[in-house]
Amino acid sequence: MSCKDGSKNNGMDNGKYVRYTPEQVEALERLYHDCPKPSSIRRQQLIRECPILSNIEPKQIKVWFQNRRCREKQRKESSRLQAVNRKLTAMNKLLMEENDRLQKQVSQLVYENGYFRQHTQNTTQATKDTSCESAVTSGQHSLTTQHPPRDASPAGLLSIAEETLAEFLSKATGTAVEWVQMPGMKPGPDSIGIVAISHGCSGVAARACGLVGLEPTRVAEILKDRPLWYRDCRAVDVLNVLPTANGGTIELLYMQLYAPTTLAPARDFWLLRYTSVLEDGSLVICERSLKNTQNGPSMPPVQHFARAEMLPSGYLIRPCEGGGSIIHIVDHLDLEPWSVPEVLRPLYESSTVLAQKTTMAALRHLRQISHEVSQSNVTGWGRRPAALRALSQRLSRGFNEALNGFTDEGWTTIGNDGVDDVTILVNSSPDKLMGLNLPFANGFPSVSNAVLCAKASMLLQNVPPAILLRFLREHRSEWADNNMDAYTAAAIKVGPCSLSGSRVGNYGGQVILPLAHTIEHEEFLEVIKLEGVAHSPEDTIMPREMFLLQLCSGMDENAVGTCAELISAPIDASFADDAPLLPSGFRIIPLESGKEASSPNRTLDLASALDIGPSGNRASNESAGNSGCMRSVMTIAFEFAFESHMQEHVASMARQYVRSIISSVQRVALALSPSHLSSHAGLRSPLGTPEAQTLAHWICNSYRCYLGVELLKSNNEGNESLLKSLWHHSDTILCCTLKALPVFTFSNQAGLDMLETTLVALQDISLEKIFDDHGRKILFSEFPQIIQQGFACLQGGICLSSMGRPVSYERVVAWKVLNEEENAHCICFMFMNWSFV
């Protein structure tokens, strides 16, 4: 290997090649793996520690590392471009197939239009009586559409399976269903795929086409294990398996789905699943419900479940050139909406909700598995991705179990206190308690022998689920009771948790450790550290630190039909993969699929609105006019371990706690509601306050003073227009205090998007926490220059959002902001050309 040094001041002739022996190259590669960008002191240390490099100049070592980093960057870029090219090729193939399908649909519609037009003309011109002919025609039509007899024999089941396959393929690649593009979904190399929902068909249906980096057999294996990726699936029991003569298999399945709220029963399905291989090598898995009209095998009704119907659905998996698979997914269900209260029926009649919860969930899970296969095996807190996914699954499943309270899992309902707003269930089965009786740090064993769940549902008006959930996550003190947190921890004997070696950042008065997130970032798993936990209700002295494992999903306000969840559970000091979990939390489900047009930062100054009252609320009045009436249902469930002799006391305590949470949520929802904001004259947006306008004027003047150019295109406008231009600036603009530990005080919209936060939570984020180690070193070295010289330009690098997502930026311009007396007011940072990594 050789390395060319083009510098004229390094003691060598320009253009001279430096030859390295294989041993030297091997040593340098080892050093590069440990430290790809060593400092000059580190390079000199490397030469001293490796005698084999003693005859090489430090500047030659520097050039070698520069070229090595360049080659690594080129290699990664080449791999990325190849991956993008494969995605674009596969996407082009999908789009061509979609175009062919649409052309067929247009041709069919044109034919049907001509046929009906001719039929209408013939009807108006006819003078003879056609009653007999109509009767004959009607009879013939009924005979041609009637299904042939079926039975439970293998031949009868194969006949049903072949019919299911044909109907599924006509939906996946044909024109059996009129598909329309799902709102908010645009195909592209970084999109999840092409997602469509049905229009005008019976039931609800959704279809998706996408590319995943897994082989077809692996894709089929994952999709068949529905509880693994479909959080609403309680169980799938395979009751019988029959091989077919063509090499396929027929399976009889019984599937149960959790109810998403306390207001509706759970669903179950009696299914036939047919797996086969087509002539072109494509793998097909299709399913449908078995009904009495088919004369096939039957399944009697099950208590507490409403029997729903799955119309022909399934997966078409085709191998893709260059590796991976192209997958077509069709979900078509009749969820029996008549069996739920009228207010909930939109949830069971929405194809958009089906697409988000089921169809897209399958694609996301496959993409996540593919991503994990190609990445490092160890992620946050030293856990493998599969272990973190299992924890997320356990949190979600435990919440669903408590929410549904099935009797076969040991749950029984106890009487209320005369008001039925909160339901109390108790579970003392050994399976539920297994793993909860852990020894505490002081050696005293736990004596909890039962689990209690308090649950309730409430209707929310005119507040987006994502905004409400974000506030609940960022401002836990607004609704949570530290005493109850301490009691929960004491009941299951949660000990202090060690976070040594992990990056822990302050967030909204809590300390959060991001563990993992899915590649589409629609779900986050994190650890929360609660400071200053008080005594428990039983006067049990608790540590002043307590940790929760928390799952957040549905945080994207722009996603249509998405369910938002915030589920947490106290964790033990060991934090083992099989650690006991008692999940509690919130689920917010939109009942309309209309897209909310307001800004995701309506929590502006909400904390003061909650403390001061309506007259002090300065939340955005601008978004009030953009929001129509929307409804959503919030379901709350909290679990508590307790001793059986204290059941009445704990039940009363839990009931009052959930009622207090409901009251807090109603107060927060009212403060977030645009209708509440618009009902008060004289309310002003934070962007319209004199303080914000003055700060914008100072920022622009200081930028012009120190850098000699205008920050904005037009700086001659009034302060209000100046602030609006600054707010909508394409680059991130952040202001922080001039303190020993600088914290942010202002951000424009781009900054809130980059940090994934709100103006309220922004003040809890310190400057140093958003940078990685390399960025912090550069910041600390340049900070004196900013103070003395007034400005500095920092090189590009990586920073972190409040949710732990890495963000790359091209460069940062920092300058000192002076007030009218020319005293330093704050430091302003402008991050240019940033993007999520």
Side-chain angles (χ1 to χ4, degrees):
M1 181 178 291
S2 65
C3 179
K4 184 175 182 179
D5 183 3
S7 176
K8 295 182 179 181
N9 300 318
N10 58 4
M12 296 183 296
D13 294 337
N14 186 26
K16 181 177 179 181
Y17 285 86
V18 179
R19 300 285 180 180
Y20 296 97
T21 64
E23 292 77 10
Q24 290 175 330
V25 172
E26 183 179 355
L28 289 171
E29 287 289 349
R30 286 199 305 269
L31 298 175
Y32 177 83
H33 180 74
D34 296 334
C35 182
K37 195 174 183 179
S39 62
S40 58
I41 298 177
R42 178 59 175 154
R43 289 194 299 270
Q44 294 175 359
Q45 181 182 357
L46 294 177
I47 294 176
R48 291 195 300 268
E49 292 176 354
C50 297
I52 197 172
L53 303 176
S54 59
N55 62 333
I56 302 177
E57 294 290 333
K59 289 188 176 180
Q60 295 176 9
I61 298 290
K62 178 181 179 181
V63 171
W64 187 92
F65 275 92
Q66 289 175 344
N67 288 347
R68 181 65 179 82
R69 289 194 299 271
C70 182
R71 289 195 303 272
E72 182 70 15
K73 184 177 180 180
Q74 290 175 343
R75 183 189 66 79
K76 291 182 178 179
E77 182 66 11
S78 176
S79 300
R80 186 187 69 83
L81 291 176
Q82 289 177 4
V84 170
N85 182 63
R86 288 195 298 269
K87 287 183 180 179
L88 289 174
T89 301
M91 191 65 66
N92 180 63
K93 185 175 181 181
L94 287 176
L95 290 173
M96 291 176 64
E97 292 177 353
E98 181 70 5
N99 184 58
D100 291 340
R101 188 192 66 82
L102 291 174
Q103 287 180 352
K104 292 178 182 178
Q105 187 172 356
V106 169
S107 300
Q108 182 177 348
L109 291 174
V110 170
Y111 171 78
E112 291 178 354
N113 181 60
Y115 171 78
F116 286 119
R117 181 180 298 175
Q118 183 68 30
H119 181 73
T120 302
Q121 293 174 354
N122 293 340
T123 302
T124 57
Q125 294 174 0
T127 58
K128 60 181 180 179
D129 184 8
T130 59
S131 59
C132 293
E133 181 182 354
S134 299
V136 174
T137 304
S138 175
Q140 289 176 346
H141 180 71
S142 64
L143 288 175
T144 55
T145 57
Q146 185 177 357
H147 292 290
R150 300 286 189 265
D151 55 37
S153 66
L157 292 177
L158 180 59
S159 178
I160 299 175
E162 293 291 349
E163 182 182 277
T164 303
L165 174 61
E167 293 188 36
F168 160 67
L169 292 177
S170 68
K171 297 176 183 179
T173 60
T175 58
V177 172
E178 181 182 351
W179 300 107
V180 296
Q181 182 172 304
M182 182 172 168
M185 296 298 300
K186 295 182 179 180
D190 296 325
S191 70
I192 191 173
I194 303 172
V195 183
I197 56 178
S198 61
H199 175 70
C201 74
S202 62
V204 291
R207 190 190 68 166
C209 309
L211 172 69
V212 295
L214 300 169
E215 294 304 313
T217 52
R218 176 59 175 153
V219 172
E221 177 186 346
I222 293 173
L223 292 175
K224 282 188 172 184
D225 192 1
R226 193 178 261 110
L228 186 67
W229 55 267
Y230 186 24
R231 297 286 174 84
D232 286 351
C233 183
R234 184 192 183 203
V236 176
D237 296 327
V238 181
L239 303 183
N240 197 5
V241 179
L242 300 172
T244 61
N246 58 4
T249 56
I250 296 175
E251 299 167 281
L252 300 183
L253 312 176
Y254 175 64
M255 180 173 70
Q256 292 180 343
L257 301 184
Y258 290 111
T261 75
T262 62
L263 305 176
R267 266 40 184 175
D268 66 350
F269 297 82
W270 172 233
L271 302 172
L272 177 144
R273 181 165 67 192
Y274 180 38
T275 305
S276 62
V277 179
L278 301 182
E279 293 181 356
D280 62 357
S282 299
L283 188 59
V284 180
I285 305 170
C286 55
E287 300 171 321
R288 80 175 308 157
S289 288
L290 292 172
K291 301 184 296 182
N292 293 332
T293 56
Q294 299 163 334
N295 296 325
S298 61
M299 166 69 72
V302 179
Q303 189 179 12
H304 306 304
F305 286 88
R307 182 64 50 86
E309 180 184 0
M310 178 183 291
L311 288 80
S313 307
Y315 316 99
L316 172 62
I317 311 166
R318 297 184 296 179
C320 182
E321 296 181 7
S325 305
I326 296 176
I327 179 172
H328 298 252
I329 302 177
V330 173
D331 289 302
H332 193 174
L333 304 176
D334 182 353
L335 295 171
E336 304 292 338
W338 57 267
S339 64
V340 302
E342 186 174 355
V343 69
L344 288 182
R345 288 181 187 175
L347 179 61
Y348 292 80
E349 296 172 340
S350 171
S351 294
T352 301
V353 172
L354 176 68
Q356 285 281 5
K357 293 179 62 177
T358 309
T359 315
M360 295 174 63
L363 266 184
R364 288 193 186 104
H365 185 78
L366 291 170
R367 283 165 54 89
Q368 184 68 28
I369 297 294
S370 176
H371 177 76
E372 292 171 0
V373 169
S374 61
Q375 299 298 318
S376 172
N377 287 332
V378 179
T379 58
W381 221 350
R383 292 299 196 276
R384 295 183 179 274
L388 295 178
R389 274 192 289 105
L391 285 172
S392 299
Q393 179 76 8
R394 289 181 57 207
L395 280 173
S396 181
R397 187 176 184 85
F399 182 78
N400 277 324
E401 288 177 353
L403 190 64
N404 284 261
F406 293 118
T407 56
D408 59 359
E409 291 177 347
W411 291 101
T412 57
T413 304
I414 63 176
N416 56 43
D417 58 353
V419 183
D420 59 356
D421 57 337
V422 178
T423 302
I424 303 293
L425 298 93
V426 173
N427 193 333
S428 56
S429 66
D431 291 340
K432 183 66 177 176
L433 297 171
M434 188 175 298
L436 289 181
N437 297 320
L438 298 174
F440 190 47
N442 57 13
F444 293 101
S446 170
V447 291
S448 300
N449 53 14
V451 174
L452 180 143
C453 175
K455 61 182 182 178
S457 292
M458 58 186 292
L459 185 67
L460 300 174
Q461 295 277 1
N462 214 20
V463 55
I467 289 180
L468 178 56
L469 189 85
R470 188 181 297 119
F471 184 87
L472 295 175
R473 173 179 179 264
E474 296 173 357
H475 301 275
R476 183 180 175 87
S477 60
E478 292 291 341
W479 58 267
D481 186 338
N482 280 350
N483 290 328
M484 295 300 297
D485 288 333
Y487 172 78
T488 304
I492 65 171
K493 301 303 181 186
V494 170
C497 184
S498 172
L499 295 178
S500 59
S502 300
R503 185 186 66 80
V504 182
N506 195 311
Y507 187 89
Q510 309 165 25
V511 181
I512 290 181
L513 171 67
L515 291 181
H517 52 71
T518 54
I519 55 177
E520 277 83 21
H521 300 282
E522 82 287 342
E523 182 177 285
F524 298 85
L525 184 65
E526 56 197 7
V527 171
I528 295 181
K529 174 183 175 185
L530 302 180
E531 304 280 2
V533 176
H535 298 73
S536 74
E538 312 308 321
D539 294 327
T540 303
I541 301 298
M542 289 295 300
R544 295 190 60 80
E545 290 183 350
M546 172 183 165
F547 294 88
L548 299 177
L549 182 65
Q550 182 163 276
L551 178 68
C552 307
S553 62
M555 302 279 284
D556 183 7
E557 190 186 357
N558 295 319
V560 181
T562 302
C563 167
E565 291 183 332
L566 183 67
I567 304 171
S568 60
I571 55 174
D572 182 69
S574 63
F575 189 30
D577 292 342
D578 57 350
L581 297 177
L582 277 184
S584 302
F586 308 88
R587 173 178 292 154
I588 314 173
I589 307 174
L591 296 179
E592 286 86 9
S593 58
K595 190 172 181 179
E596 167 68 18
S598 63
S599 167
N601 298 295
R602 194 180 296 140
T603 53
L604 306 178
D605 208 18
L606 178 58
S608 60
L610 296 175
D611 295 333
I612 300 172
S615 61
N617 189 354
R618 301 182 301 170
S620 176
N621 193 22
E622 184 177 297
S623 63
N626 298 332
S627 175
C629 180
M630 66 178 69
R631 293 184 300 176
S632 57
V633 60
M634 169 182 272
T635 300
I636 305 170
F638 278 77
E639 291 189 90
F640 307 92
F642 67 97
E643 301 173 33
S644 57
H645 68 277
M646 297 182 61
Q647 177 173 308
E648 292 186 7
H649 174 69
V650 175
S652 176
M653 178 183 64
R655 186 180 289 112
Q656 294 302 319
Y657 181 47
V658 170
R659 285 173 179 165
S660 70
I661 292 176
I662 292 175
S663 177
S664 299
V665 169
Q666 289 173 335
R667 185 165 54 96
V668 171
L670 180 62
L672 290 172
S673 171
S675 60
H676 168 73
L677 302 178
S678 59
S679 64
H680 299 277
L683 296 184
R684 294 178 301 180
S685 164
L687 297 182
T689 59
E691 295 82 1
Q693 295 173 4
T694 302
L695 178 60
H697 181 70
W698 292 348
I699 290 172
C700 295
N701 282 352
S702 301
Y703 186 87
R704 182 175 62 252
C705 175
Y706 287 117
L707 284 91
V709 294
E710 298 289 351
L711 176 61
L712 305 175
K713 293 182 179 179
S714 176
N715 230 6
N716 298 323
E717 48 195 3
N719 282 353
E720 187 173 352
S721 299
L722 196 70
L723 177 57
K724 183 177 289 188
S725 299
L726 191 69
W727 177 258
H728 295 292
H729 197 282
S730 58
D731 291 323
T732 286
I733 297 177
L734 299 167
C735 292
C736 68
T737 57
L738 284 167
K739 296 181 179 179
L741 184 62
V743 295
F744 293 114
T745 57
F746 172 80
S747 170
N748 65 350
Q749 181 64 62
L752 297 179
D753 293 340
M754 185 184 82
L755 295 180
E756 297 186 299
T757 187
T758 64
L759 282 179
V760 175
L762 180 72
Q763 301 173 15
D764 297 315
I765 304 176
S766 62
L767 176 63
E768 67 169 5
K769 293 299 182 182
I770 72 169
F771 288 100
D772 59 6
D773 293 338
H774 178 66
R776 277 194 290 269
K777 290 179 182 178
I778 296 178
L779 176 65
F780 293 152
S781 64
E782 297 290 344
F783 209 82
Q785 179 184 346
I786 300 174
I787 300 299
Q788 297 172 7
Q789 181 178 311
F791 74 97
C793 294
L794 312 180
Q795 67 185 35
I798 300 291
C799 66
L800 299 169
S801 75
S802 63
M803 294 186 179
R805 293 176 64 184
V807 180
S808 66
Y809 54 89
E810 190 173 291
R811 66 191 181 104
V812 175
V813 178
W815 68 96
K816 187 163 54 175
V817 177
L818 304 178
N819 58 20
E820 294 175 351
E821 289 77 23
E822 296 190 354
N823 295 323
H825 176 74
C826 62
I827 299 293
C828 196
F829 294 85
M830 182 164 62
F831 290 75
M832 298 183 175
N833 299 329
W834 64 270
S835 63
F836 290 110
V837 178

